[in-house]
Amino acid sequence: MLVCFNGSLSARHQEQAAIPDLEAELASSLTGDGPFPAIIDVNPGLPNHVIYRPANLAAFAGGRLPVLAWGNGGCYDDGTAQRHYLSQIASYGYLVIAPGLWRSGPGATSEPLRPEPIIDGKDLPRPPTTAQDVLLGIDWALAETERTDSPFGGLIDRQALAVGGYSCGGLQAIELAADSRIAAVLINNSGIYDPKGRGITGIEVSKEMLADFHSPVLYLTGGPEDGAYPNGLDDFQRVDHVPIIFAELPVGHGGTFDEPFGGAMAHVAVDWLEWQLRDDKVAARTFLGENCRLCTGTDWSIRMKGF
């Protein structure tokens, strides 16, 4: 296990403090800053889902397009809630699929989300999406790559499939990680809660599910002020059979999803996927080595096992 920490401000947070017009920066960040400008899309063949993808798919002929199936924060049916983060990932050449409608941000086509109120002392309400809704994104992508008349025909890399999610959506990703097709797992601000605590109606997760991990796992958390931090850290400490990383940035449970280009966490997520799904050795240096990028000159702390 490697543990690194440096208390200086991260470059991304310094940049955020200097932005005079955050709204304009957010609007312009929806294409991502990667080499493949991204778009947000819907497809009638996959109702109740939102798709993030490179605008130009020509570079991915021959099966070079990885897939990330994403569980939304709150397991809500707003597929655009984490749009800056997911657009950033898509701009590096990924097909990202989230369940729900296009409820927020520019171009929204559905009513804004109105979450059910949370009542003190009660279990959290049943979320409107399930893990199977998340998994449907992968099933659909694999079916599309077989169709010659699909924009994704022949494009999907069947060996480069990942699941991820935020908070409640992270629990959905943990549930789906047992799928033998999954090559990498990305858990944001989440972790399996103590069964004696307050649960989420309809979310059946337990610590026993951690034994079903069979591919490398990255937990990204918001530090001790993140309500999911103790759950995620406990998950990490229990897992010894697959490579696993627990990385924290002290930003709380909201992460950096609402920052332009998805903020610092999106940049780390991209490097994780590039390393795990494309075997990018440069991206691996974000995590590996005494001078790894998360180990020096940042607010990040990183622990790892199995590498």
Side-chain angles (χ1 to χ4, degrees), residues 26-28 30 40 80 83-84 102 104-109:
L26 285 168
S28 68
L30 286 176
I40 303 175
T80 43
R83 58 192 176 276
H84 301 286
W102 191 336
S104 51
T109 57

Side-chain angles (χ1 to χ4, degrees), residues 114-138:
R114 294 181 175 84
E116 185 177 338
I118 296 174
I119 301 173
D120 286 344
K122 300 290 185 181
D123 279 356
L124 300 177
R126 182 181 296 274
T129 69
T130 68
Q132 291 307 306
D133 294 325
V134 177
L135 186 63
L136 188 59
I138 286 179

Side-chain angles (χ1 to χ4, degrees), residues 22 42 46 57 78 88 100-101 109 115 158 178 190 215 249 279-280:
L22 185 58
V42 293
L46 186 64
L57 295 171
D78 181 356
Q88 176 71 2
L101 303 175
T109 57
R158 298 175 182 84
S190 188
S215 52
L249 183 69
D279 196 27
D280 186 323

Side-chain angles (χ1 to χ4, degrees), residues 230-264:
N231 301 335
L233 182 58
D234 182 68
D235 287 1
F236 169 80
Q237 291 170 337
R238 290 171 182 251
V239 173
D240 292 307
H241 63 288
V242 296
I244 186 168
I245 294 176
F246 184 87
E248 57 185 278
L249 183 69
V251 293
H253 191 62
T256 62
F257 292 105
D258 293 332
E259 295 181 11
F261 304 101

Side-chain angles (χ1 to χ4, degrees), residues 34-206:
F36 306 100
I39 62 170
I40 303 175
D41 199 7
V42 293
N43 188 297
L46 186 64
N48 301 317
H49 286 72
V50 176
I51 295 168
Y52 301 78
R53 65 170 179 86
N56 186 349
L57 295 171
F60 306 97
R64 300 176 59 196
L65 186 65
V67 179
L68 170 66
W70 178 260
N72 305 316
C75 299
Y76 291 135
D77 63 342
D78 181 356
T80 43
Q82 286 85 58
R83 58 192 176 276
H84 301 286
Y85 185 95
L86 301 183
S87 292
Q88 176 71 2
I89 293 173
S91 77
Y92 280 81
Y94 290 82
L95 173 61
V96 184
I97 305 174
L101 303 175
W102 191 336
R103 293 187 181 276
S104 51
T109 57
S110 299
E111 290 293 318
L113 186 67
R114 294 181 175 84
E116 185 177 338
I118 296 174
I119 301 173
D120 286 344
K122 300 290 185 181
D123 279 356
L124 300 177
R126 182 181 296 274
T129 69
T130 68
Q132 291 307 306
D133 294 325
V134 177
L135 186 63
L136 188 59
I138 286 179
D139 293 337
W140 175 83
L142 292 176
E144 286 295 290
T145 200
E146 299 295 332
R147 291 179 47 214
T148 57
D149 61 342
S150 167
F152 301 99
L155 300 187
I156 303 302
D157 185 344
R158 298 175 182 84
Q159 307 305 313
L161 309 176
V163 290
Y166 166 39
S167 192
C168 178
L171 299 178
Q172 293 177 331
I174 291 171
E175 181 179 346
L176 296 176
D179 190 307
S180 62
R181 300 171 297 179
I182 302 305
V185 181
L186 172 63
I187 309 298
N188 273 92
N189 310 85
S190 188
I192 299 175
Y193 40 76
D194 186 331
K196 297 186 293 295
R198 186 172 68 167
I200 303 173
T201 303
I203 300 291
E204 302 296 334
V205 293
S206 67

